[in-house]
Amino acid sequence: MTFGAYSLALGIAAANGVLLSLLLLHSSGRHRGSPWLAALTAGLALRLLPYILGFAGAYDLHPALTFAPFDTTLAWGPLLWVYVVVLSTGALPERWRWHVVPFLVQLLYQCVAFALPPAMKWDWYGGAHLQVIEPVGAVLVLASLGLYGFAAWRQYERWQAWLDANLSNREESRLGWLRLILAGFGVTGGIGVLLMVVHLAITPLDYFARMPVVAALALLAYLIALLGYRFGGQAIAMTAVAAASAPAAVADAPEPPEAAPAAPDLAAGTARAATKDYAGEAAAWRTRVRTAGWHRDPALTATRLAELLQVSTRSLSRTLNEGLGESFNDFINRIRVEEAVAILARPGAPDVLRVAFDVGFASKASFNRAFRRHAGATPTAIRDGQPSPASQLPPT
């Protein structure tokens, strides 16, 4: 492949990234996360420019382009993390501006170096920059991506746990596309680490040797923008539904403990907590839910069920976890599946999808996932008279 072919291929990738960034900005009214993802995509596309210009011979013809401020790498980690936080909470994290300070320092350095006189610029580039600034900067960038990538993944995991604890139908919020974005950053970072080790410890790498990570960046820019544009609004909608059932959606800090009893009753309260029969209470709740048919409400939330049972949401969650080892989502969906199994096992059972809706599922995807988890078979197999081991167990 010639220099021009490399430049053309990367130019197309960068143009796609910029176009998708503009589309994300145009659709920013759909959800608050769009501008952050647009900035991240544009930053990835901008980072391709030095390679596009380099393969085209622009730096040889115009040395003054050296240090042109195309490097946005210290912004990528914070932008990814802020995007996930906005998706999961609908709000910006506190003091988020501090997280972009490293990038502003990076940008200032490039602008100052770019403005140097040509002779001084080349002396600086061939000396301190290549020997000190570039290696240190590479380490800082990879550390930033690793730390913020981990923080973004933890935020995603907290979000999923919170939704399990509060929503009975949440299949659409499992967000495989967001996991794919986070995995893409992880793979790209891994390639970067490998190339950095080779560059610093074995042999310096030129433009061609760095092509694997450049190609990964091009694909990543396209991937995250396309997935975010296609599915981001769905995630915000799920967060809004969840937040409507409980004011605090996904908090970084754990829920504050309930107020402690007065000092004279402290020992007695502790003893009662230690001897409380969580399993028995959860079993009684299961019977009440079945009898009342509350599980058939597809919009049922932990907050609503706690109101019906006349307990706090915190007590509901703790009792289910301690007594059954289940989240609210598993608790309700197990009841729904048990009822669905009983209906499907009867002669002349109705259509599977109708049964799914009748017992409280909001979508076929939610029904199928829960059925496999709790019945150990497919709904069609049960209807056709093929019992599953799980369906033969007495309800807990």
Side-chain angles (χ1 to χ4, degrees):
M1 182 178 286
T2 64
F3 291 172
Y6 278 121
S7 293
L8 179 61
L10 293 177
I12 293 173
N16 280 332
V18 172
L19 175 61
L20 287 168
S21 297
L22 294 175
L23 288 174
L24 284 165
L25 287 176
H26 180 69
S27 65
S28 60
R30 290 168 50 206
H31 62 85
R32 294 184 64 183
S34 292
W36 299 94
L37 192 63
L40 177 56
T41 305
L44 291 168
L46 188 63
R47 189 65 183 90
L48 299 177
L49 272 180
Y51 295 92
I52 296 171
L53 295 173
F55 288 128
Y59 285 102
D60 295 329
L61 295 174
H62 306 284
L65 287 172
T66 303
F67 288 118
F70 299 142
D71 191 350
T72 61
T73 45
L74 285 177
W76 297 351
L79 287 173
L80 175 66
W81 170 68
V82 170
Y83 176 65
V84 176
V85 171
V86 171
L87 279 183
S88 59
T89 67
L92 289 168
E94 294 183 4
R95 297 182 294 274
W96 63 269
R97 292 177 179 84
W98 288 103
H99 295 272
V100 300
V101 169
F103 163 66
L104 295 178
V105 173
Q106 181 185 40
L107 182 62
L108 178 62
Y109 168 75
Q110 293 177 86
C111 291
V112 170
F114 183 65
L116 291 174
M120 187 180 298
K121 178 187 294 190
W122 277 104
D123 287 343
W124 177 258
Y125 179 80
H129 178 81
L130 288 181
Q131 296 173 20
V132 179
I133 302 298
E134 186 175 276
V136 171
V139 172
L140 290 177
V141 167
L142 292 174
S144 173
L145 289 174
L147 291 173
Y148 280 104
F150 178 71
W153 180 260
R154 285 198 60 191
Q155 181 68 20
Y156 167 81
E157 290 287 299
R158 282 194 295 266
W159 184 17
Q160 297 300 295
W162 188 88
L163 289 170
D164 271 332
N166 287 273
L167 297 185
S168 60
N169 276 304
R170 50 142 306 182
E171 185 63 30
E172 294 75 11
S173 66
R174 295 196 182 275
L175 306 183
W177 62 271
L178 184 55
R179 289 199 301 270
L180 187 58
I181 287 176
L182 295 174
F185 264 91
V187 171
T188 304
I191 296 173
V193 169
L194 178 61
L195 293 182
M196 184 187 71
V197 170
V198 173
H199 179 72
L200 297 179
I202 301 176
T203 181
L205 300 178
D206 60 13
Y207 269 41
F208 289 101
R210 297 179 188 182
M211 274 303 294
V213 72
V214 176
L217 289 177
L219 291 173
L220 186 60
Y222 185 76
L223 174 73
I224 65 173
L226 188 63
L227 293 176
Y229 179 75
R230 174 66 179 83
F231 298 108
Q234 176 193 81
I236 288 289
M238 181 58 66
T239 300
V241 170
S245 68
V250 185
D252 288 340
E255 184 178 357
E258 296 176 344
D265 299 324
L266 183 58
T270 302
R272 283 195 300 272
T275 58
K276 184 174 181 179
D277 182 10
Y278 288 110
E281 186 171 23
W285 288 351
R286 186 189 298 276
T287 300
R288 288 185 62 186
V289 170
R290 280 204 201 93
T291 302
W294 294 330
H295 60 285
R296 300 190 187 103
D297 177 8
L300 184 66
T301 64
T303 302
R304 177 56 182 156
L305 182 59
E307 291 174 355
L308 293 169
L309 294 172
Q310 297 183 326
V311 297
S312 70
T313 305
R314 183 181 177 85
S315 294
L316 172 67
S317 178
R318 182 174 182 180
T319 299
L320 296 181
N321 288 330
E322 296 284 346
L324 302 177
E326 291 184 336
S327 66
F328 166 76
N329 181 269
D330 279 337
F331 174 74
I332 294 300
N333 283 339
R334 184 185 294 276
I335 296 174
R336 290 170 173 168
V337 168
E338 288 169 354
E339 182 176 5
V341 167
I343 295 173
L344 291 170
R346 298 170 189 162
D351 178 74
V352 169
L353 189 58
R354 178 182 171 183
V355 173
F357 291 146
D358 286 347
V359 300
F361 287 99
S363 70
K364 184 177 181 180
S366 296
F367 178 56
N368 288 337
R369 184 183 180 92
F371 210 95
R372 286 194 300 269
R373 178 178 176 84
H374 299 297
T378 65
T380 303
I382 298 295
R383 190 181 59 181
D384 293 344
Q386 303 173 28
S388 68
S391 66
Q392 300 306 303
L393 295 175
T396 55

